[in-house]
Amino acid sequence: MALHKSNVSCAKLLIQGGANVSSAGPCYNPLVTAAEKGLTEAIKCLLEAGANPNVLDQFGRLPIELAAEYGTREDVEMLFPSTLPISTVTKWSVDGIVSHVKMEIKQLEDDNFVQTRASDLKQQGDEAFKKQDYLNASVFYTQDLKMDNFDAKLLSNRSLCWLRMGNGERAFGDAHECIALCPKWAKAHYRLGAAFMFMEDYNGAYQSLSRALELDPESKEVEKLFWEAMELMS
């Protein structure tokens, strides 16, 4: 909350007092928040406290990319030494990152480019998923989400990829974001229920799957998982 309110002094006191500086799941990463708000002193304090600059946000962006877009060159320079190279950045340097992000922003202003690129990435992701190559499928869906942060279907697809790869926390994060975008979409609640099941939170699964059944009472897939949750709750 301190970072969201850009209260750096409060954030620093909390960090000094032992607050967790690690990512609290895919939906919240303190370093991402500091980078996208250009909070230079907070970034420095977080890094010194051991925050990991190589954790992606839910849309596949690293803190250094957000710093290049929203912060200052100083923020990028601070994050650079501890950030692993990004494969899509041709020249791995501070200037290279800044140029790469500026180019991405320019491309996103071109509607034709965005539509073509997004369609290609989704197709590649779907093809990888069919081959059960869930890692590459998740990478393609992540790149596609950079084109459109508000595509609930992409989040749903990636949530399933995380689940197939055994990462319940990330599956939960994407499903939760999906529900925020489409609260009346049964599949979003089903994805969340499946993530809860994987994490053995059967009460949470029951609640999510109940909502999914309310929205789509004809779904045999949802009904099957709902009864599994019911049995495991007892």
Side-chain angles (χ1 to χ4, degrees):
M1 184 60 72
L3 290 171
H4 277 296
K5 297 294 184 182
S6 299
N7 191 331
V8 177
S9 297
C10 182
K12 289 173 74 174
L13 284 171
L14 289 166
I15 294 166
Q16 289 166 11
N20 182 13
V21 298
S22 301
S23 172
C27 292
Y28 178 64
N29 181 346
L31 201 51
V32 162
T33 304
E36 67 183 356
K37 287 183 171 290
L39 305 177
T40 305
E41 284 301 312
I43 293 171
K44 181 180 179 181
C45 193
L46 285 164
L47 288 172
E48 288 175 349
N52 184 359
N54 297 297
V55 177
L56 301 169
D57 72 358
Q58 65 264 44
F59 302 120
R61 302 166 300 185
L62 285 170
I64 199 167
E65 294 178 276
L66 294 165
E69 183 174 357
Y70 300 110
T72 65
R73 183 183 178 86
E74 183 182 356
D75 296 344
V76 178
E77 290 174 345
M78 198 182 304
L79 288 159
F80 182 77
S82 50
T83 300
L84 297 174
I86 303 169
S87 60
T88 51
V89 178
T90 306
K91 182 182 179 183
W92 185 244
S93 64
V94 171
D95 287 332
I97 294 165
V98 172
S99 297
H100 171 77
V101 171
K102 285 182 178 178
M103 180 59 71
E104 279 196 334
I105 293 170
K106 188 175 181 180
Q107 289 174 336
L108 289 173
E109 292 172 351
D110 183 340
D111 290 340
N112 290 331
F113 172 85
V114 169
Q115 289 177 8
T116 302
R117 179 67 173 152
S119 178
D120 289 345
L121 286 166
K122 185 180 184 305
Q123 183 178 351
Q124 289 175 291
D126 291 345
E127 288 173 357
F129 187 89
K130 288 176 183 176
K131 296 175 183 176
Q132 298 184 1
D133 185 357
Y134 304 121
L135 177 58
N136 275 318
S138 71
V139 170
F140 287 125
Y141 292 141
T142 297
Q143 291 297 315
D144 202 355
L145 280 163
K146 287 185 178 182
M147 301 285 146
D148 183 359
N149 292 348
F150 305 104
D151 191 323
K153 289 183 179 179
L154 288 173
L155 286 165
S156 172
N157 291 349
R158 194 173 66 173
S159 178
L160 183 55
C161 286
W162 294 131
L163 205 60
R164 295 286 172 86
M165 290 190 287
N167 193 328
E169 185 180 85
R170 283 192 171 273
F172 173 88
D174 278 351
H176 190 270
E177 190 71 23
C178 192
I179 290 171
L181 293 171
C182 296
K184 293 186 178 180
W185 189 27
K187 183 171 282 188
H189 293 275
Y190 173 67
R191 291 278 185 257
L192 189 63
F196 273 128
M197 288 288 285
F198 182 85
M199 296 186 291
E200 299 182 357
D201 182 347
Y202 304 121
N203 184 59
Y206 169 78
Q207 297 295 332
S208 296
L209 294 166
S210 294
R211 180 58 177 151
L213 269 180
E214 285 177 15
L215 294 166
D216 185 7
E218 301 300 319
S219 174
K220 299 299 181 184
E221 186 178 37
V222 174
E223 185 179 10
K224 181 176 182 293
L225 197 60
F226 171 80
W227 287 113
E228 285 182 23
M230 280 281 287
E231 289 176 10
L232 290 165
M233 278 179 65
S234 57

